Amino acid sequence: MIYTSYFAKHKKNADPDIAYVSIAVGNPKYPVAYDIVDLNVLKPFGIFRKYSGDAFKEKYFERLDSYGVSRIRREIERAKGQHETALLMCHEKDKNDCHRSMFAEWWLLRTGERIEEYGEEIKKPTERIEQLSMFG
């Protein structure tokens, strides 16, 4: 499984089933309770703070396309190692203001596979059950 998140959310807790994978240009300067595995193919080297908004997204997608799904999948599996889950992490608390959500979008567009934010429940429509009367 692959999820996204941010470093500070997990700084005091380490789950042995999770590989904590950095996709940030820089890793945390504060202590964390887990080992960090770097995944350079997802780090926005050279475009972080140089571009913003749609221009950043365009450049980031171009970079991801240059690596391709097969290589990125192999690199995620390598980073995951023997762990059940790869948690792709950066610094931004707000996933909507971060390249991790851009990667999740790119991945969905290229593979059809959804990458969710860790800890967010997937909203499923609730089935309405109608009770029938036994007496007509």
Side-chain angles (χ1 to χ4, degrees):
M1 292 184 291
I2 305 169
Y3 291 96
T4 58
S5 193
Y6 60 99
F7 295 116
K9 181 176 184 176
H10 306 272
K11 71 180 182 180
K12 294 182 181 177
N13 303 313
D15 183 326
D17 294 329
I18 294 176
Y20 297 90
V21 181
S22 174
I23 65 169
V25 171
N27 290 334
K29 303 282 190 242
Y30 49 84
V32 293
Y34 47 83
D35 292 330
I36 296 172
V37 179
D38 287 300
L39 187 56
N40 290 337
V41 296
L42 299 185
K43 295 183 178 202
F45 290 122
I47 60 174
F48 180 66
R49 296 197 179 149
K50 184 175 181 180
Y51 300 96
S52 61
D54 290 340
F56 177 87
K57 184 176 177 177
E58 180 181 338
K59 294 291 185 187
Y60 190 55
F61 275 31
E62 286 174 8
R63 167 151 323 139
L64 296 172
D65 284 332
S66 75
Y67 292 127
V69 169
S70 295
R71 178 175 176 193
I72 292 172
R73 189 183 302 275
R74 279 192 314 272
E75 293 290 327
I76 291 171
E77 287 301 314
R78 178 200 56 78
K80 191 166 86 165
Q82 300 300 314
H83 299 280
E84 192 175 300
T85 300
L87 193 55
L88 307 178
M89 304 175 76
C90 63
H91 294 282
E92 293 294 330
K93 183 176 183 177
D94 182 358
K95 70 178 181 182
N96 298 313
D97 190 29
C98 180
H99 73 287
R100 72 179 183 267
S101 63
M102 290 180 192
F103 171 70
E105 178 184 350
W106 179 88
W107 191 257
L108 178 63
L109 291 170
R110 302 307 187 269
T111 68
E113 299 167 11
R114 187 173 303 279
I115 297 175
E116 300 289 342
E117 184 78 359
Y118 188 80
E120 288 185 3
E121 293 181 8
I122 299 170
K123 305 277 190 255
K124 295 181 181 176
T126 56
E127 183 179 325
R128 187 166 178 226
I129 300 173
E130 198 173 312
Q131 183 163 350
L132 301 174
S133 171
M134 290 177 51
F135 307 105

